[in-house]
């Protein structure tokens, strides 16, 4: 069973601080990694995707991937109250034939306090 | 205005009834997916389709059925055989089902069994 693990939180940070969200995965053959943000009662929306080791920055968001250690993280700089949401880590790996499956973690609830 | 639409937003089902959830996309995506989300849980894959007239079971297909007669549409039927259908149902699509593709989500349908 391929697993994606996240700390469920809640993770609470003050406004303006850096929020650090972590995710580990069990399938060493995983090839694509995604972070989604989900507001309460809403559907997930994509924040970042990352495919190779290292850092990828997009505005206030930085995704970090370390395939050797099987972890992926998301840093949110200058956190805002509007960043308060559940962050889902998703990992894609080959599942047989021409199929690739996206496996989701349970999410980390982030609260940014004004 | 491109995107994924799901209807209805809220759905109530009586015991023993079959209900069908609609998912339509105008993104010209080949692949479509159905997920189920329970409170505090990650997304679990029900069914997916990478091409018209073909679909595969996901991790929790029992009690569900789908069809893919048109590229734009991937309806999900929740049958009376599904013993615990109350959940948030999310439809997603991607360009194809390949490893680098990103899945984008519709707004979701919240199903409640009365």
């Amino acid at each position: 069973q391929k697993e994606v693990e996240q700390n469920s939180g809640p993770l609470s940070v003050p406004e303006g601080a850096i929020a650090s969200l972590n995710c580990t995965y069990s399938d060493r053959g995983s090839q694509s990694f995604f972070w989604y943000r989900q507001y309460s009662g809403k559907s997930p929306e994509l924040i970042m995707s990352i495919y190779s080791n290292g850092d990828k920055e997009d505005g206030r968001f930085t995704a970090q991937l370390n395939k050797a250690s099987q972890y992926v993280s998301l840093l949110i700089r200058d956190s805002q109250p509007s960043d308060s949401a559940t962050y889902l880590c998703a990992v894609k790996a080959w599942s047989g034939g021409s199929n690739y499956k996206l496996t989701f973690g349970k999410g980390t609830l982030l609260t940014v306090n004004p | 205005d491109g995107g994924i639409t799901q209807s209805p937003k809220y759905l109530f089902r009586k015991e023993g009834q079959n209900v069908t959830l609609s998912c339509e996309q105008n993104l010209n995506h080949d692949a479509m997916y159905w997920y189920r989300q329970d409170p505090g849980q990650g997304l679990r894959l029900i069914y997916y389709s990478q091409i018209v007239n073909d679909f595969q079971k996901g991790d929790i297909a029992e009690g569900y059925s789908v069809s893919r007669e048109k590229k734009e549409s991937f309806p999900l039927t929740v049958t009376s055989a599904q013993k615990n259908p109350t959940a948030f149902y999310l439809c997603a699509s991607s360009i194809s089902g390949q490893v680098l593709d990103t899945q984008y989500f519709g707004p979701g349908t919240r199903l409640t069994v009365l």
Side-chain angles (χ1 to χ4, degrees):
Chain A
Q1 183 78 1
K2 299 173 183 177
E3 295 183 344
V4 176
E5 300 288 341
Q6 295 182 254
N7 187 324
S8 63
L11 173 65
S12 184
V13 301
E15 184 174 355
I18 296 175
S20 178
L21 304 162
N22 299 313
C23 172
T24 60
Y25 57 94
S26 62
D27 186 350
R28 189 169 287 277
S30 298
Q31 298 174 271
S32 305
F33 307 85
F34 305 86
W35 283 100
Y36 288 86
R37 177 176 62 198
Q38 186 174 26
Y39 292 112
S40 180
K42 303 296 185 182
S43 63
E45 55 180 326
L46 180 74
I47 298 177
M48 298 277 289
S49 59
I50 187 167
Y51 308 111
S52 54
N53 280 330
D55 294 359
K56 179 181 178 182
E57 186 174 319
D58 183 1
R60 295 187 296 114
F61 299 96
T62 299
Q64 299 174 317
L65 175 61
N66 184 324
K67 289 186 178 181
S69 300
Q70 295 176 243
Y71 86 80
V72 57
S73 64
L74 179 70
L75 300 178
I76 307 174
R77 290 181 300 280
D78 188 24
S79 295
Q80 301 297 309
S82 59
D83 294 327
S84 298
T86 296
Y87 289 80
L88 303 175
C89 173
V91 175
K92 189 182 287 188
W94 180 70
S95 59
S98 62
N99 301 316
Y100 292 87
K101 180 185 173 186
L102 193 61
T103 301
F104 286 83
K106 294 182 179 181
T108 297
L109 177 62
L110 171 66
T111 300
V112 181
N113 301 305
Chain B
D1 194 16
I4 305 169
T5 58
Q6 292 186 243
S7 62
K9 185 175 181 179
Y10 299 97
L11 185 58
F12 300 91
R13 191 194 93 168
K14 294 181 180 179
E15 294 279 353
Q17 278 185 337
N18 292 353
V19 291
T20 297
L21 284 59
S22 169
C23 178
E24 304 275 335
Q25 54 95 3
N26 62 4
L27 301 168
N28 200 33
H29 285 175
D30 284 322
M32 297 186 74
Y33 312 82
W34 275 105
Y35 292 90
R36 167 182 174 144
Q37 187 176 37
D38 295 280
Q41 301 296 314
L43 278 66
R44 292 184 289 168
L45 182 64
I46 304 173
Y47 268 98
Y48 64 100
S49 168
Q50 292 188 281
I51 196 169
V52 174
N53 292 323
D54 188 44
F55 49 83
Q56 286 79 41
K57 294 181 179 180
D59 299 322
I60 55 165
E62 185 176 353
Y64 299 98
S65 66
V66 293
S67 63
R68 186 84 187 277
E69 297 178 1
K70 298 188 299 182
K71 186 175 183 177
E72 302 80 16
S73 178
F74 192 39
L76 174 74
T77 296
V78 184
T79 74
S80 57
Q82 170 50 237
K83 297 307 179 187
N84 185 23
T86 295
F88 189 37
Y89 289 86
L90 291 158
C91 178
S93 71
S94 65
I95 294 175
S96 69
Q98 296 312 298
V99 64
L100 299 182
D101 287 348
T102 299
Q103 291 184 20
Y104 298 94
F105 287 86
T109 292
R110 197 166 298 277
L111 173 63
T112 302
V113 173
L114 301 174

